[in-house]
């Protein structure tokens, strides 16, 4: 018989593994991609992520990430309010889950329809021959920005 405590332990372990995976990807990006992140540190990464978000995500999710972008009326499903992700997840930003959604690995119905572009493929197509590490870095920048605007 499983208990609520069993599910809590599994959830904590899953989050720990997700955080480790993201940290490994970030370390690989910083270590092997010259100039992947500016010398200014995390603030520069968040600023870069904000620009990337505005360029690739704001048309649907809105500049403020609350789901009211210019394309809202053309979509079948209203885009998520991305500032409430941590609040809806017990105060924990769902970093790994969002990474999989943005990259395109998570095609589950929990995201609704797949009207959202698969940005992993889109980022690869922007510069033919671009390394997987650079694509991961772009997604991580967006995630760092989104984490920074969470209402907790």
């Amino acid at each position: 018989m499983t208990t609520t405590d069993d599910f809590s332990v599994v959830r904590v372990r899953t989050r720990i593994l997700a955080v480790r995976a993201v940290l490994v990807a970030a370390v690989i990006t910083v270590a092997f991609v010259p100039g992947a992140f500016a010398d200014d540190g995390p603030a520069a990464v968040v600023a870069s992520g904000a620009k990337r978000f505005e360029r690739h995500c704001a048309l649907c999710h809105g500049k403020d990430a609350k789901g009211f972008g210019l394309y809202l009326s053309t979509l079948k499903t209203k885009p998520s309010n991305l500032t409430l992700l941590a609040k809806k997840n017990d105060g924990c930003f769902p970093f790994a889950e969002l990474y999989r959604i943005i990259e395109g690995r998570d095609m589950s119905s929990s995201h609704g329809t797949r009207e959202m572009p698969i940005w992993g493929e889109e980022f690869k197509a922007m510069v033919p021959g671009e390394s997987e590490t650079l694509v991961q870095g772009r997604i991580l920048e967006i995630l760092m920005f989104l984490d920074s605007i969470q209402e907790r």
Side-chain angles (χ1 to χ4, degrees):
M1 183 163 119
T2 45
T3 65
T4 303
D5 289 338
D6 292 336
F7 289 118
S8 296
V9 169
V10 169
R11 190 172 188 185
V12 168
R13 285 184 181 160
T14 302
R15 285 184 182 167
I16 289 170
L17 289 173
V19 169
R20 284 183 183 165
V22 169
L23 289 174
V24 167
V27 167
I28 289 170
T29 301
V30 171
F32 297 108
V33 180
F37 294 127
D39 294 334
D40 299 336
V45 176
V46 170
S48 180
K51 289 178 188 170
R52 203 169 295 288
F53 178 87
E54 188 171 335
R55 198 171 321 130
H56 301 291
C57 312
L59 284 173
C60 296
H61 290 282
K63 285 187 178 186
D64 62 359
K66 293 189 176 187
F68 297 101
L70 293 174
Y71 287 1
L72 177 62
S73 63
T74 67
L75 299 172
K76 295 176 193 165
T77 305
K78 183 185 178 296
S80 298
N81 180 338
L82 300 177
T83 66
L84 299 176
L85 297 170
K87 188 179 255 186
K88 291 178 178 179
N89 196 41
D90 298 325
C92 182
F93 183 70
F95 213 101
E97 179 184 351
L98 288 174
Y99 186 94
R100 287 190 307 272
I101 290 170
I102 293 169
E103 186 190 41
R105 275 192 266 166
D106 185 350
M107 303 293 277
S108 70
S109 60
S110 66
H111 182 68
T113 64
R114 194 64 212 196
E115 287 183 279
M116 184 178 122
I118 298 172
W119 286 107
E121 292 176 12
E122 293 289 326
F123 288 151
K124 284 179 204 167
M126 286 177 191
V127 181
E130 186 169 64
S131 79
E132 185 71 25
T133 306
L134 286 175
V135 172
Q136 292 168 348
R138 287 180 172 160
I139 295 171
L140 289 171
E141 287 175 336
I142 293 169
L143 291 174
M144 296 281 285
F145 164 69
L146 290 174
D147 189 31
S148 76
I149 62 168
Q150 292 304 293
E151 295 178 22
R152 299 191 195 258

